[in-house]
Amino acid sequence: METTVQWIRTSWTKQSRGGGAAARRNAAPVGFTVPYVTPSFAHVVRVHERDGFEPHAVEEELRKVDVQLREADGRLRVLPRVQPLFAIPPRPRRPPAVRLASGQWVRWQLNHRFSSAAGVQDWSYWLDTFNIAYGPVGADVFLSEPTVHVDERGPLR
């Protein structure tokens, strides 16, 4: 199975919910050029408020990326996992998995809101963007429009 996986996690706190900080956060890219990544690894990009929303990229084992990938009948089935811990926003009904043909790719976006277990810390927020291509693609594939875009972002209050 030839896949290219890019996982972008943008994270912030209440301090970046409005004004200039929110503008910098919203300007963070949702796709990057993909360097050569060893098979069974993913290109992981972290974009965090504490770094001024500057991206930092690493390689991680594909099994550590919260997405199900299954190949069947010449197509790749893609479905990001949502752990029960990520309860806000509630997701009672999720979109169905996407099935990609060779040369296609999906951008799937989900957001989350968290608080500390005791409620003593401020809220924190994540936006996960999964860019996943099936078959041979160029390094700049995720800079173009996706074949399929699934927007599973919900209200975070």
Side-chain angles (χ1 to χ4, degrees):
M1 161 168 69
E2 186 172 355
T3 61
T4 305
V5 176
Q6 183 177 78
W7 174 25
I8 304 165
R9 172 164 287 163
T10 304
S11 53
W12 66 97
T13 67
K14 188 176 176 181
Q15 296 169 345
S16 294
R17 290 222 32 205
R24 282 189 302 282
R25 171 178 51 89
N26 290 331
V30 292
F32 294 89
T33 300
V34 182
Y36 172 77
V37 179
T38 310
S40 78
F41 278 78
H43 180 230
V44 177
V45 181
R46 298 288 183 243
V47 181
H48 197 281
E49 171 187 83
R50 72 175 164 258
D51 299 324
F53 298 104
E54 287 296 317
H56 300 280
V58 296
E59 280 187 27
E60 283 190 25
E61 290 181 59
L62 198 50
R63 64 180 178 79
K64 293 182 180 179
V65 178
D66 260 347
V67 65
Q68 294 175 357
L69 303 173
R70 293 211 175 101
E71 191 176 34
D73 303 324
R75 291 188 172 264
L76 179 68
R77 182 182 181 275
V78 178
L79 182 65
R81 290 185 284 264
V82 176
Q83 304 299 331
L85 168 72
F86 307 137
I88 307 248
R91 300 181 204 281
R93 269 194 202 132
R94 296 203 53 220
V98 170
R99 292 176 44 105
L100 301 174
S102 183
Q104 295 182 329
W105 71 278
V106 61
R107 173 170 290 142
W108 197 308
Q109 295 183 289
L110 302 112
N111 58 356
H112 312 281
R113 182 182 80 183
F114 307 91
S115 70
S116 66
V120 282
Q121 293 183 344
D122 268 342
W123 297 103
S124 61
Y125 304 87
W126 290 355
L127 170 62
D128 283 331
T129 301
F130 297 95
N131 294 320
I132 300 169
Y134 183 50
V137 293
D140 61 350
V141 63
F142 299 138
L143 302 180
S144 63
E145 286 299 311
T147 309
V148 179
H149 182 225
V150 180
D151 188 347
E152 204 175 348
R153 294 176 290 177
L156 298 177
R157 292 184 257 148

